[in-house]
Amino acid sequence: ASRLVAAVQRAGATPVRMASDQDLEIALEAAMAEEPDPNDPDPRRIVGAIVDLFGHRSDGVEAVKAVHGVGLPVIAVAQHDDQETRGLALDAGALRVFSYNKFFEDGPSLVRRWLTEPAEGG
């Protein structure tokens, strides 16, 4: 998880780690309650999510579904790049699925794009 956080920070974003499914639910509810003002962007506004499919504290596929369900872009990361895991995440709404190593290479550019073009969804 610390390498994922570091990749997001390298992109110039502020990562927020969720310790449980309940934390994610609360964050998504708060994000949906806010009306973004395009003339006064709030740097704390959630513009997308990176979900670790094999996180120990939550069901990664369900987290992808939750984020996608509120209309936010989401990418998923997994320890290995296998077709079954990739298919589950894509079916749940992930825009892309990366192995951890691939994300560490390409993730910062994706996060930067979310920061500069959030309305396009990643």
Side-chain angles (χ1 to χ4, degrees):
S2 61
R3 288 181 66 193
L4 291 173
V5 167
V8 172
Q9 289 171 328
R10 282 194 317 269
T14 303
V16 178
R17 291 177 68 175
M18 302 291 161
S20 68
D21 293 332
Q22 183 179 11
D23 288 348
L24 176 61
E25 184 178 324
I26 291 167
L28 293 177
E29 286 176 11
M32 298 316 300
E34 299 172 3
E35 276 296 320
D37 179 353
N39 298 318
D40 185 23
D42 182 348
R44 298 168 297 166
R45 187 171 60 88
I46 298 172
V47 296
I50 301 163
V51 173
D52 183 346
L53 294 173
F54 294 104
H56 297 290
R57 295 184 177 130
S58 66
D59 180 328
V61 172
E62 289 301 316
V64 170
K65 285 180 187 177
V67 174
H68 178 72
V70 298
L72 292 172
V74 57
I75 59 174
V77 294
Q79 185 172 10
H80 302 288
D81 187 12
D82 68 81
Q83 293 302 315
E84 181 180 0
T85 301
R86 176 180 296 280
L88 289 170
L90 292 172
D91 288 347
L95 297 172
R96 302 274 310 266
V97 180
F98 294 98
S99 67
Y100 292 140
N101 287 337
K102 185 68 173 166
F103 178 78
F104 300 138
E105 294 170 12
D106 296 344
S109 66
L110 289 170
V111 174
R112 276 189 214 100
R113 190 168 53 211
W114 283 352
L115 294 172
T116 59
E117 303 172 7
E120 292 185 21

